[in-house]
Amino acid sequence: AIEGRTPELLKHRFASELVETAYNEFANAAQRAAILQEFFGPELALFKSTSIVRLKDALATKRPGLVMQHLQQHLLALTQKDLIRHSLVQHLLLEYLEEAVPAGASGCQGNADASAVASLMENLRENLVPMLHTREGVKVALLVVRHLSHKDLKRALKSMKTFLCTSACNEHGYLFVLSLAERHSLTPEELHKLVLRELFDSLQELIDSQFGRKVLLYLLSPRDSLHFSPQLMSLILPPAAVGAGGKSAVEENSVTTEQLRERLHRALSLCSSRLLSHVSGRMAELCQANGTILFVQDTLRHCPGEKSACYAALADLIRQPFVPCQNPTSQSSGDESDQQQQQQHIIECSAGHLMLKRLLPSAPDLVRLINDFVTDENIVSWLACNRGCFFLLQLYESCPEDCSLRDRVATLLLGGGGGGFATALQSALKRQYRGAQLLSERIKAKTEPGSSLVGDRSAGDAESQQPVSKKARRLSKKL
């Protein structure tokens, strides 16, 4: 019923909904290709070819200039009528812009009309929000933003006011927000005013969202391969295409990771107090969830500002009475496992234990605070489980020179403290806790010059020298 009239119907406010539904939900691959060909000119609209599936296939015909001319006329009319929310329009926009303005090019290429491309960019500049809910729409938005001037970019961001947080929490829209951090033309003050201020007004929503946390992680540690795969980075930073001048616009405007980190650090310093205050207030919740431990870890490592409140909240969780409990069984459902994990002490909780293990070597202030907060009973109670032994080992090795915690641990566990402290270590060794074995060897290597281990040998070397049982090896891999 719509064959031969798709371009006209798509320009109608109500008929476009029908075309979009037919294209997305009912058309097969051949029918979708036939619908697309109607935008490539009257010849292909009447005499459809099964070999033409994309715009590149149509441009391989004898009249590529006419194909681009007809497509850009349709797209100009569609963008002027604010119909870019449809996935069919976004697909056509993406294919057209990829041919007209390839990655790395500073101007129009091929058979594209420069004035038509400029008009199209102007129409899209302040209507980016409707495209950020689909993958192809985000790619179009990235192409548009990449070729906007500084003045037009600021105007586009002002038009997105109140929508940035929603886009940052979207599974596709967050890529657009990440790309804004890469625009070095935005000064730290402008980035804070146009982007960060609105995002930090909804911190809880961002942190609770899987994709919102990625935005915060990118601000804290940009281009970190631990959080962002090369495939994802290729969308934000596409490979530059070298032009006649030897260097492309993207290549000339690119910045190193260190320069980007310094600029984002300056922008974060203008609002970091709000982030640190929020994290310190929700420390107990964030440290016991698998999805947020990396965010808390990077916040305490890289966020500028005073972190004493966060360290105090973390130390308060560590000094709570330690009562070992069974780990969540593999047969438990996801909700039951999360609930049981939240009831565990932060040292025994898998998420909290992993975060502390990574954080302690780079946080001497936290180690000093633990030394002031925890009691001797706390230290010995951690020996009741294997993760507690590993945490005590990491704490022992991360202790700075001006901290007395290392001497306290050695005195307690070698029997100098009385009260059955040495018995707790012997009990852990009888249970074949690998953490207790390494801790005992490490303490002896530090306190006994004639021991079999050299004093400056690390715990990893001690582990390689000691025969490990199969059960201990499995526990070590889990931790």
Side-chain angles (χ1 to χ4, degrees), residues 154-399:
K154 291 174 64 176
R155 187 179 303 174
L157 291 178
K158 289 178 181 178
S159 69
M160 297 182 63
K161 194 174 183 180
T162 72
F163 292 102
L164 274 176
C165 183
T166 305
S167 301
C169 296
N170 184 270
E171 62 176 324
H172 303 297
Y174 83 97
L175 294 173
F176 175 80
V177 183
L178 295 187
S179 69
L180 297 178
E182 292 285 348
R183 283 300 300 259
H184 77 284
S185 60
L186 291 174
T187 64
E189 291 76 17
E190 291 173 338
L191 186 63
H192 168 256
K193 180 181 178 180
L194 298 173
V195 181
L196 299 187
R197 182 181 295 174
E198 181 178 340
L199 291 179
F200 278 52
D201 286 340
S202 305
L203 263 179
Q204 182 169 353
E205 185 178 351
L206 279 178
I207 295 174
D208 293 341
S209 169
Q210 171 188 354
F211 306 103
R213 286 195 300 271
K214 285 184 176 291
V215 173
L216 295 174
L217 285 171
Y218 201 84
L219 295 173
L220 292 167
S221 51
R223 302 178 186 175
D224 192 344
S225 58
L226 177 64
H227 311 302
F228 308 100
S229 64
Q231 292 79 11
L232 187 144
M233 292 304 304
S234 66
L235 295 176
I236 305 173
L237 296 172
V242 179
K247 285 188 177 182
S248 66
V250 175
E251 198 174 37
E252 290 175 351
N253 294 333
S254 61
V255 295
T256 64
T257 303
E258 291 300 324
Q259 292 173 332
L260 177 62
R261 183 179 289 111
E262 181 181 355
R263 186 170 66 89
L264 294 180
H265 187 275
R266 288 171 55 194
L268 274 175
S269 63
L270 300 175
C271 53
S272 60
S273 59
R274 300 172 64 182
L275 177 60
L276 294 172
S277 176
H278 187 89
V279 170
S280 63
R282 298 180 60 192
M283 186 65 72
E285 175 189 353
L286 297 177
C287 288
Q288 294 189 341
N290 293 328
T292 54
I293 55 169
L294 290 177
F295 163 70
V296 176
Q297 173 187 315
D298 274 28
T299 300
L300 296 180
R301 277 183 175 179
H302 306 299
C303 185
E306 181 58 43
K307 304 183 181 71
S308 58
C310 294
Y311 287 149
L314 192 55
D316 189 56
L317 292 176
I318 293 173
R319 70 171 180 175
Q320 289 181 0
F322 181 78
V323 180
C325 62
Q326 295 181 352
N327 291 327
T329 61
S330 58
Q331 297 178 354
S332 302
S333 63
D335 295 339
E336 293 177 354
S337 177
D338 292 341
Q339 185 178 3
Q340 192 171 359
Q341 181 167 302
Q342 290 177 0
Q343 295 174 354
Q344 292 179 307
H345 193 277
I346 186 174
I347 293 177
E348 192 177 16
C349 166
S350 59
H353 175 77
L354 181 61
M355 186 200 69
L356 292 172
K357 180 181 178 181
R358 294 175 175 176
L359 185 62
L360 285 177
S362 59
D365 292 339
L366 176 59
V367 178
R368 295 187 184 95
L369 203 57
I370 293 174
N371 179 45
D372 298 336
F373 272 30
V374 299
T375 63
D376 296 346
E377 288 77 10
N378 289 136
I379 295 175
V380 177
S381 66
W382 297 338
L383 297 173
C385 74
N386 193 38
R387 283 178 178 163
C389 296
F390 271 106
F391 170 73
L392 195 55
L393 173 64
Q394 187 65 64
L395 193 64
Y396 182 83
E397 293 184 336
S398 305
C399 191

Side-chain angles (χ1 to χ4, degrees), residues 49 67-68 81 83 103 108 141 145 168 185 209 234 245 249 264 272 289 299 308 335 399 409 425 430 432 458 461 464:
S49 173
V67 172
M68 291 291 286
K81 293 187 176 183
L83 294 171
C108 295
V145 169
S185 60
S209 169
S234 66
L264 294 180
S272 60
T299 300
S308 58
D335 295 339
C399 191
V409 172
L425 178 59
K430 288 181 180 179
Q432 296 185 345
S458 65
D461 296 331
S464 62

Side-chain angles (χ1 to χ4, degrees), residues 7-8 11 38-39 70-79:
E8 289 73 20
K11 296 171 187 175
E38 296 187 21
F39 293 87
H70 282 97
L71 180 57
Q72 67 192 17
Q73 288 176 356
H74 289 305
L75 291 177
L76 281 172
L78 290 168
T79 54

